[in-house]
């Protein structure tokens, strides 16, 4: 009798045949598919460190159980990840941006909530239990519901799902009465201790009273810290052909602070929750392959100078390559999740065991509030290790939907324009993940995330002027483009960029500056039909 998992796999367009094809592509390809230029860092296989030197500590990958690539495998990987040169037809397996983990396209709000297609049947229960914890509504302590108490007392949301709406993006409020639950303000002040092992680290400290994040909600009997204020200014832009686009520029403020005025030099950075799909695949991209595209001094003179983000990992007690968050502020999914439990909901975890979350010493009522943890129960924490592992497993296995319309002539033309305009200089199309000993769904997959996972100067228009680790106030991590056009379908609100200011893909492009200024200007000046093709390509991802 065929198992349910086997039936589902065989009945899906992303089943056995695709898995066999991907394996054959990566294990038997005799020659490069595209012209190879060893001088091009996007195409080149990362070189070994010079003799007598060792990689920096932050280049390590202690979160992964890596099976090293052979020389032959490295050659094949270089071939399949080389940039496209033929735009008359889709590339092999381009329909499956998450490799064998790609799920079918679901034309509903559940498009981002499917598990990896290659997830083993016996692991589906862990995914579903992790989803339950992700969706759980937490309450204040003490409570008879001891499995769900410990919220706050100062917080931004009651569940992970409140921010990552249907596993998609959050959004900024359009007006004073609109919900702020999926957006917040990061805070810091200049100065602080240096962090050894992180070159070019920019010292900052949490705001002395309000901490590193503004909590605008609270339990009954406690004062929320403040209210995130946002107002919008309109900026008209005229494109070639006479098309008019209106950008909205935000102004942010800390309104009605309950614990006194913040410091005059407080730095504010608005954030919306990012989409959740494909995180496990990004976590499995070799650090060396990411670093191969870095060009911090713009040695090749193309105007693009991507830099690696380096962050301190509380999980591994060492500096690591940052991958997650709008400024790549976390190195692993586990730590990203633990940070959210602490900062967004005030819940203690194995990494951040303080049950008061972000409450500062000046917030005495919050510091003395009852905690939702008891000796001998849940490791004495509000979110124990088992729960953290399940939420991380869920987040790691949220699947990327398959591409749509990728053989449409307009979409193919848009792809060519993206390459010719320079979009793919930062939105790097392809990687092959590590071969992993213990994570089959993410192991040795050809993926198409359209990001280089590096920091880039995006210009004054998008600057938040708030450093994070070594990222400056003008730098942001290149956002992955897979699934980007489905966010409106998933959440009911179409918005883009780190603070959701862009209401369309065209607006998002027009906000690009700094290293992306030339590409942005090319889009403004190109014939309207080429611009429409570029948008059609983005909508196919």
């Amino acid at each position: 009798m065929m198992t349910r998992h086997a039936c589902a796999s065989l009945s899906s367009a992303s089943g056995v045949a695709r898995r066999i094809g991907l394996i054959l592509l990566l294990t038997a390809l005799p020659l490069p598919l595209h012209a190879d230029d060893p001088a091009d860092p996007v195409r080149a296989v990362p070189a070994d460190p010079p003799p007598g030197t060792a990689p920096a500590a932050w280049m390590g990958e202690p979160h992964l159980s890596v099976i090293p690539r052979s020389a032959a495998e490295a050659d094949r990987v270089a071939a399949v990840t080389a940039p496209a040169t033929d735009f008359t037809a889709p590339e092999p397996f381009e329909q499956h941006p998450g490799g064998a983990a790609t799920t079918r396209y679901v034309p509903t709000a559940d498009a981002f909530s499917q598990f990896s297609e290659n997830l083993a049947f016996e692991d589906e229960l862990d995914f579903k239990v992790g989803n339950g914890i992700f969706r759980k509504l937490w309450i204040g302590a003490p409570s008879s519901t001891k499995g769900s108490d410990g919220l706050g007392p100062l917080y931004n949301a009651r569940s992970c799902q409140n921010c990552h709406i249907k596993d998609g993006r959050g959004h900024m409020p359009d007006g004073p009465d609109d919900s702020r639950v999926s957006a917040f303000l990061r805070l810091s002040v200049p100065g602080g201790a240096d962090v050894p092992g992180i070159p070019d680290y920019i010292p900052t400290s949490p705001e002395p009273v309000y901490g590193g994040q503004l909590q605008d909600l609270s339990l009954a009997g406690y004062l929320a810290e403040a209210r995130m204020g946002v107002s919008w200014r309109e900026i008209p832009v005229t494109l070639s052909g006479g098309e008019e686009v209106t950008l909205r520029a935000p102004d942010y403020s800390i309104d009605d602070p309950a614990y006194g005025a913040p410091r005059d030099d407080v730095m504010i950075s608005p954030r919306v929750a990012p989409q959740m799909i494909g995180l496990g695949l990004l976590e499995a991209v070799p650090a060396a392959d990411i670093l191969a595209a870095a060009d911090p001094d713009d040695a090749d003179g193309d105007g693009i100078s991507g830099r690696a983000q380096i962050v301190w990992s509380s999980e591994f007690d060492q500096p690591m390559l940052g991958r997650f968050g709008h400024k790549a502020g976390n190195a692993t999914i586990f730590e990203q999740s633990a940070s959210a439990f602490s900062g967004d909901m005030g819940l203690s975890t194995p990494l951040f065991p303080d049950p008061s979350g972000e409450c500062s010493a000046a917030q005495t009522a919050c510091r003395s509030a009852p905690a939702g943890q008891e000796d001998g129960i849940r490791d004495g924490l509000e979110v124990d290790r088992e729960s953290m592992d399940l939420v991380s497993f869920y987040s790691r296995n949220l699947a990327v939907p398959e591409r749509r319309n990728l053989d449409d002539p307009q979409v193919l033309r848009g792809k060519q324009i993206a390459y010719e305009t320079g979009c793919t200089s930062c939105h790097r199309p392809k990687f092959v993940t590590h071969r992993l000993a213990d994570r089959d769904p993410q192991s040795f997959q050809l993926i198409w995330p359209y990001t280089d996972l590096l920091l880039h100067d995006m210009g004054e228009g998008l600057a938040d002027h708030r450093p994070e680790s070594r990222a400056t106030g003008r730098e942001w991590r290149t956002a992955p483009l897979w699934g980007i056009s489905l966010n409106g379908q998933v959440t009911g609100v179409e918005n883009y960029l780190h603070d959701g200011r862009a209401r369309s893909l065209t607006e998002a492009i027009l906000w690009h500056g700094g290293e992306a200024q030339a590409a942005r200007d090319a889009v403004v000046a190109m014939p309207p039909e080429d611009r429409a093709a570029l948008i059609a390509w983005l909508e196919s991802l």
Side-chain angles (χ1 to χ4, degrees):
M1 178 180 294
M2 189 177 291
T3 66
R4 177 175 66 83
H5 184 70
C7 290
S9 183
L10 286 172
S11 64
S12 168
S14 52
V16 171
R18 173 164 54 81
R19 299 184 196 186
I20 293 173
L22 288 169
I23 291 170
L24 289 175
L25 181 67
L26 288 174
T27 59
L29 188 69
L31 294 172
L33 291 175
H34 312 289
D36 189 32
D37 177 5
D40 184 341
V42 174
R43 306 182 191 202
V45 177
D48 292 331
T53 65
W58 61 266
M59 297 180 186
E61 297 168 298
H63 62 300
L64 299 174
S65 298
V66 176
I67 301 172
R69 293 174 182 169
S70 67
E73 286 177 334
D75 289 342
R76 289 192 290 271
V77 167
V80 299
T81 56
T85 56
D86 179 3
F87 300 99
T88 62
E91 296 172 77
F93 304 104
E94 191 176 0
Q95 184 178 356
H96 309 293
T102 305
T103 190
R104 69 192 187 284
Y105 166 62
V106 177
T108 69
D110 293 322
F112 287 170
S113 300
Q114 311 303 308
F115 54 76
S116 300
E117 177 67 24
N118 56 354
L119 189 68
F121 175 70
E122 58 269 22
D123 291 331
E124 291 181 18
L125 180 60
D126 283 348
F127 179 88
K128 292 172 182 175
V129 175
N131 184 20
I133 300 171
F134 194 83
R135 295 168 59 90
K136 178 195 290 190
L137 289 172
W138 295 83
I139 58 177
S143 168
S144 59
T145 311
K146 293 188 180 298
S148 301
D149 67 350
L151 176 70
L154 307 182
Y155 61 95
N156 292 101
R158 291 183 59 200
S159 80
C160 307
Q161 189 80 210
N162 283 166
C163 291
H164 302 276
I165 302 167
K166 298 292 285 184
D167 305 300
R169 291 173 55 84
H171 62 87
M172 278 290 171
D174 286 325
D177 298 324
D178 195 10
S179 171
R180 287 157 167 74
V181 75
S182 60
F184 60 88
L185 295 177
R186 291 235 190 264
L187 309 174
S188 57
V189 294
D194 196 10
V195 178
I198 300 182
D200 304 318
Y201 179 79
I202 305 172
T204 62
S205 301
E207 206 284 335
V209 173
Y210 294 97
Q213 183 169 317
L214 191 72
Q215 279 85 32
D216 57 1
L217 297 173
S218 65
L219 298 176
Y222 298 88
L223 294 174
E225 289 186 327
R227 181 176 176 84
M228 177 183 68
V230 56
S231 59
W232 304 97
R233 295 174 286 111
E234 293 192 346
I235 302 175
V237 179
T238 302
L239 311 181
S240 66
E243 180 183 354
E244 292 276 350
V245 177
T246 300
L247 305 183
R248 58 174 191 168
D251 292 304
Y252 297 101
S253 59
I254 300 174
D255 295 344
D256 304 318
Y259 300 89
R263 261 179 47 172
D264 291 341
D265 57 352
V266 65
M267 298 178 286
I268 297 173
S269 182
R271 308 288 173 90
V272 297
Q275 64 186 34
M276 297 287 293
I277 57 173
L279 298 184
L281 296 166
L282 296 177
E283 189 174 48
V285 173
D289 290 358
I290 297 170
L291 298 175
D295 185 16
D297 299 318
D298 192 19
D300 60 7
D302 67 352
I304 307 299
S305 51
R307 299 197 308 139
Q309 170 66 300
I310 307 170
V311 297
W312 184 263
S313 169
S314 297
E315 183 179 1
F316 293 99
D317 197 32
Q318 68 177 65
M320 290 180 63
L321 177 69
R323 299 172 188 248
F324 301 108
H326 292 296
K327 285 184 182 277
N330 276 305
T332 68
I333 293 170
F334 187 93
E335 186 154 356
Q336 178 84 351
S337 302
S339 298
F341 275 120
S342 178
D344 298 350
M345 291 177 275
L347 296 165
S348 57
T349 69
L351 279 188
F352 306 110
D354 187 346
S356 299
E358 272 264 303
C359 296
S360 68
Q363 296 167 329
T364 54
C366 178
R367 298 295 307 176
S368 61
Q373 51 191 37
E374 302 174 65
D375 292 339
I377 298 176
R378 295 183 309 201
D379 302 338
L381 299 166
E382 291 161 335
V383 185
D384 60 8
R385 178 74 196 210
E386 182 179 13
S387 297
M388 281 296 311
D389 286 341
L390 287 165
V391 167
S392 299
F393 184 84
Y394 171 75
S395 302
R396 192 173 292 121
N397 282 287
L398 281 165
V400 182
E402 64 186 356
R403 288 277 306 278
R404 301 157 311 286
N405 306 319
L406 69 167
D407 57 353
D408 181 280
Q410 186 185 39
V411 170
L412 289 168
R413 173 60 181 153
K415 176 182 175 181
Q416 182 176 3
I417 292 168
Y419 272 77
E420 293 174 346
T421 307
C423 303
T424 55
S425 296
C426 301
H427 292 284
R428 180 177 174 179
K430 294 172 282 185
F431 288 97
V432 172
T433 61
H434 272 304
R435 193 184 293 280
L436 300 172
D438 56 353
R439 296 182 185 176
D440 286 346
Q442 291 83 41
S443 180
F444 211 49
Q445 299 298 320
L446 171 62
I447 63 172
W448 310 67
Y450 285 95
T451 174
D452 59 8
L453 294 173
L454 296 172
L455 299 171
H456 293 275
D457 182 337
M458 294 300 294
E460 191 61 27
L462 290 178
D464 65 352
H465 302 293
R466 177 184 176 271
E468 186 171 331
S469 194
R470 73 195 301 253
T472 72
R474 290 167 56 105
E475 287 182 314
W476 300 94
R477 183 204 66 166
T478 305
L481 295 182
W482 50 15
I484 188 167
S485 68
L486 298 180
N487 276 285
Q489 171 185 307
V490 168
T491 69
V493 180
E494 189 176 8
N495 70 102
Y496 307 97
L497 302 176
H498 66 279
D499 60 356
R501 69 179 66 187
R503 296 159 295 185
S504 69
L505 292 168
T506 300
E507 285 187 33
I509 293 170
L510 295 178
W511 273 110
H512 283 52
E515 297 174 42
Q517 185 71 44
R520 177 261 185 205
D521 292 346
V523 172
V524 170
M526 68 179 50
E529 58 271 21
D530 283 354
R531 195 162 51 244
L534 179 64
I535 298 301
W537 171 73
L538 288 170
E539 290 174 343
S540 78
L541 297 179

